[in-house]
Amino acid sequence: MSAKFSYQRAVSIKDAAEATGRPGTRILAGGTDLLGCLRDGVFQTNRLVSINNIKELKGIRSRPGGGWRIGALTTLTEVAEHRQILESYPVLAQAAASVATPQLRNQGTLGGNLCQRPRCWYFRGQFQCRRKGGETCFAEAGQSLYHGIFGASQCYIVHPSDTAPALVALDAKVSIAGRRGTRLVPMSSFFVLPKDSLVKENVLEPGELITEILLDAPLTGTRSTYRKVRERASFDFALASAAVVLVMAEGKVRTARIVLGGVAPAPWRSTEAEKAVVGKPLDAAAVAAAAEAAVKGAVPMADNGYKVPLVRGILEETLTALSA
Amino acid sequence: MEKPTIDSQGHTGLSRRSFVNSVATGAAAEAAVLTLPGAAAQTGTKPPQDGEMVAVVLQINGRTHSMNVEPRWTLQYVLRDRLGLMATKDGCERGECGACTVLIDGISRYSCLTLAVEAAGCQITTVEGLMNGEQLGTVQQAFIEEDAFQCGYCTPGQVVSVEALLRKTPEPTFEQIREGVSGNLCRCGAYNHIFRAAQRAAELRKVGRG
């Protein structure tokens, strides 16, 4: 059982923002990550503020002028099964469906999936690592089987979210409420790397919470997919994944957004891989060039060299699938 | 809690369940929180202090339970250790095994990752709630017919997951069944029997629906 904390229910977004601005307070949504962290003592809290009774944070609604808005409390099951999400944004529906298990998807929210803490076994274990304010990264000399090959500096976590790469690939925006109003942040700027902060994974400040995710209407000719590889067929985080969104026109790739998961401290956009396919027909040569470009600059650790050919393979597979 | 009596051979007069109960709760429960809620009115539970306890009303298997809970208590802890509803199992306590699966408003969730305070006002269903009096529910019946367990520890969670699946998808494909119970580990490896039990349960319910 976790250490004691007090509990209150926020009645409005403003109420939630004010309550969470106070030190030692954390927001409770689905709780699937938070309660595990509290139980394992990864961090402590004096007080939980539940936002689960704030109706305006729930559900999927169409936006005037096209596109969709997904409330932060929408469950992953709801995202994965929503007819319009399935039709217009398969990459997102597939990513949500690939998370964990039916129970965790019934409970876990889209906002929470974006804000979950890393799964590094040193961070989760009883190690005072840099991400917990310590002075050592234990993965550097320790076991690095599930750590990153991109974007590391002093800390080698990978971002565990499946929906995050999909939303970056879709160029979604995240609406953030704070004590002084709301701000809109592109999904591609929402996550931070260790070089920007060693102790947090996104731009949220105390007293801020995600209220909704905004999706633009897909352009004609858009194709998208999410591919996740894990050690077992379900109930696991990605060893590596790829979210790919292409806009095709006249047999050629007009625009491409290729974002990798499970390999970096944030969803890892590969503009090199995108450049390798844009303006070209999606033939075997372009696919191979993109797969090779995606792993350029990878820095494997002692135990995770397998992620390099894995990423290459995932991209060959997804791009080939989208070329049909 | 029932008082142990010991006969001349040293056997206790406790039932197996209440013996297990007393052993299980002995270490975890501090003196002040030993009372099960049914007996709370007579024996006097520790009153709320400094806002540490929260009064909640839990609707479990059609019964109403009014009680005080600490905010940190999970639904799993309350079901087993406070209310004595022992079908819901205590496996990993971190959402990694599925033994504690319950239905909350008809949807399957892990009770180990659900705070009891958050479940207040919802309809909670455990395996006990899938019985019709002393008669087994269709999913339980199917698990017996298909021999879908060995040690049985994961079974209540598996049964609840299949129940959740069939409420949503009355005639699931094999793939949907595999996905439906993918959040429930079985260390005995009875998976193929569990899949068949889910298929059998779907048949039993179809017949039942006429």
Side-chain angles (χ1 to χ4, degrees):
Chain A
M1 193 175 286
S2 62
K4 286 191 180 191
F5 48 76
S6 69
Y7 168 90
Q8 78 180 71
R9 284 187 181 181
V11 294
S12 66
I13 292 169
K14 188 166 172 287
D15 188 26
E18 270 167 23
T20 52
R22 279 179 269 171
T25 303
R26 288 188 184 261
I27 289 179
L28 174 65
T32 57
D33 185 35
L34 176 65
L35 297 182
C37 284
L38 293 176
R39 180 192 169 281
D40 289 345
V42 177
F43 50 76
Q44 288 78 37
T45 188
N46 300 328
R47 186 171 50 153
L48 289 190
V49 176
S50 169
I51 56 173
N52 286 312
N53 282 42
I54 306 177
K55 284 203 179 64
E56 54 194 300
L57 293 177
K58 295 180 187 180
I60 301 174
R61 288 180 287 273
S62 60
R63 294 166 70 189
W68 294 84
R69 53 182 65 222
I70 307 177
L73 285 183
T74 308
T75 67
L76 295 165
T77 299
E78 289 164 343
V79 173
E81 294 178 353
H82 192 267
R83 196 166 57 83
Q84 268 81 21
I85 302 293
L86 277 163
E87 267 174 27
S88 302
Y89 314 98
V91 63
L92 178 59
Q94 290 165 14
S98 78
V99 175
T101 68
Q103 291 95 320
L104 289 168
R105 294 193 294 275
N106 288 341
Q107 186 164 354
T109 65
L110 184 59
N113 192 254
L114 300 175
C115 295
Q116 63 184 309
R117 302 307 309 276
R119 290 276 155 182
C120 167
W121 47 30
Y122 298 107
F123 175 74
R124 295 271 165 170
Q126 294 180 359
F127 296 86
Q128 190 60 21
C129 74
R130 289 189 182 127
R131 195 154 290 272
K132 288 193 283 200
E135 291 174 356
T136 309
C137 169
F138 297 87
E140 282 175 343
Q143 296 189 317
S144 52
L145 196 61
Y146 305 118
H147 290 79
I149 57 171
F150 293 110
S153 49
Q154 299 190 69
C155 173
Y156 300 80
I157 58 159
V158 296
H159 201 279
S161 171
D162 291 300
T163 59
L167 290 170
V168 174
L170 287 167
D171 203 11
K173 290 172 191 65
V174 53
S175 181
I176 297 171
R179 280 170 287 183
R180 280 178 238 96
T182 61
R183 60 181 176 135
L184 209 54
V185 175
M187 213 62 236
S188 51
S189 312
F190 178 71
F191 300 98
V192 300
L193 290 171
K195 69 180 168 63
D196 304 311
S197 169
L198 271 173
V199 294
K200 59 184 209 171
E201 294 86 46
N202 58 57
V203 300
L204 288 177
E205 298 288 346
E208 286 192 323
L209 66 152
I210 296 179
T211 56
E212 57 188 9
I213 308 298
L214 303 177
L215 292 164
D216 291 333
L219 298 171
T220 309
T222 300
R223 302 172 182 182
S224 73
T225 193
Y226 184 73
R227 173 73 165 113
K228 172 179 181 177
V229 175
R230 45 193 157 176
E231 279 187 319
R232 50 187 180 188
S234 67
F235 214 162
D236 209 350
F237 294 90
L239 296 171
S241 70
V244 181
V245 179
L246 304 177
V247 181
M248 304 295 290
E250 293 161 10
K252 290 179 182 169
V253 179
R254 204 173 96 202
T255 63
R257 287 176 73 95
I258 298 174
V259 184
L260 305 174
V263 293
W268 191 253
R269 187 172 171 199
S270 178
T271 50
E272 295 296 312
E274 294 169 5
K275 277 183 209 156
V277 294
V278 168
K280 295 176 186 146
L282 207 53
D283 56 19
V287 168
E292 202 51 53
V295 295
K296 222 171 81 181
V299 185
M301 303 172 73
D303 307 320
N304 67 2
Y306 71 92
K307 288 197 177 187
V308 174
L310 181 57
V311 165
R312 215 187 279 131
I314 289 173
L315 276 187
E316 282 174 7
E317 189 186 298
T318 48
L319 290 169
T320 304
L322 289 177
S323 71
Chain B
M1 187 162 288
E2 112 191 45
K3 264 196 174 157
T5 53
I6 303 174
D7 67 18
S8 56
Q9 275 93 46
H11 298 135
T12 67
L14 285 171
S15 68
R16 177 183 165 274
R17 172 120 299 160
S18 57
F19 173 73
V20 172
N21 244 336
S22 63
V23 172
T25 53
E30 272 132 51
V33 289
L34 263 172
T35 351
L36 289 177
Q42 288 85 41
T43 52
T45 317
K46 185 182 166 192
Q49 278 183 3
D50 304 329
E52 68 177 17
M53 302 282 270
V54 180
V56 296
V57 177
L58 296 175
Q59 305 284 348
I60 304 168
N61 302 329
R63 284 188 58 191
T64 301
H65 301 263
S66 299
M67 59 192 294
N68 292 328
V69 299
E70 282 188 36
R72 64 176 172 160
W73 288 356
T74 62
L75 178 59
Q76 178 202 48
Y77 171 76
V78 168
L79 288 172
R80 289 182 58 85
D81 294 78
R82 310 301 299 169
L83 297 175
L85 291 166
M86 294 304 205
T88 304
K89 293 292 179 279
D90 177 356
C92 68
E93 294 187 348
R94 63 205 321 150
E96 290 178 4
C97 79
C100 70
T101 303
V102 298
L103 300 181
I104 297 183
D105 288 338
I107 291 171
S108 62
R109 289 174 60 140
Y110 295 140
S111 60
C112 75
L113 290 181
T114 302
L115 293 179
V117 281
E118 289 275 296
C122 302
Q123 295 295 332
I124 300 156
T125 307
T126 68
V127 166
E128 289 98 334
L130 300 180
M131 305 277 294
N132 184 8
E134 285 301 300
Q135 203 184 334
L136 295 177
T138 46
V139 179
Q140 291 166 300
Q141 184 60 40
F143 268 65
I144 289 173
E145 288 180 20
E146 295 296 337
D147 192 19
F149 44 81
Q150 287 182 46
C151 83
Y153 198 82
C154 73
T155 309
Q158 304 278 5
V159 167
V160 174
S161 280
V162 171
E163 177 75 25
L165 171 71
L166 296 181
R167 286 189 187 187
K168 194 169 169 181
T169 315
E171 294 178 53
T173 63
F174 190 69
E175 203 39 54
Q176 285 171 323
I177 290 170
R178 283 168 59 93
E179 180 61 37
V181 295
S182 64
N184 297 76
L185 301 187
C186 170
R187 293 295 79 168
C188 301
Y191 292 111
N192 286 327
H193 291 240
I194 292 167
F195 302 153
R196 283 208 297 277
Q199 289 172 317
R200 177 69 186 137
E203 288 166 15
L204 289 173
R205 290 156 87 104
K206 202 173 173 184
V207 173
R209 281 198 308 274

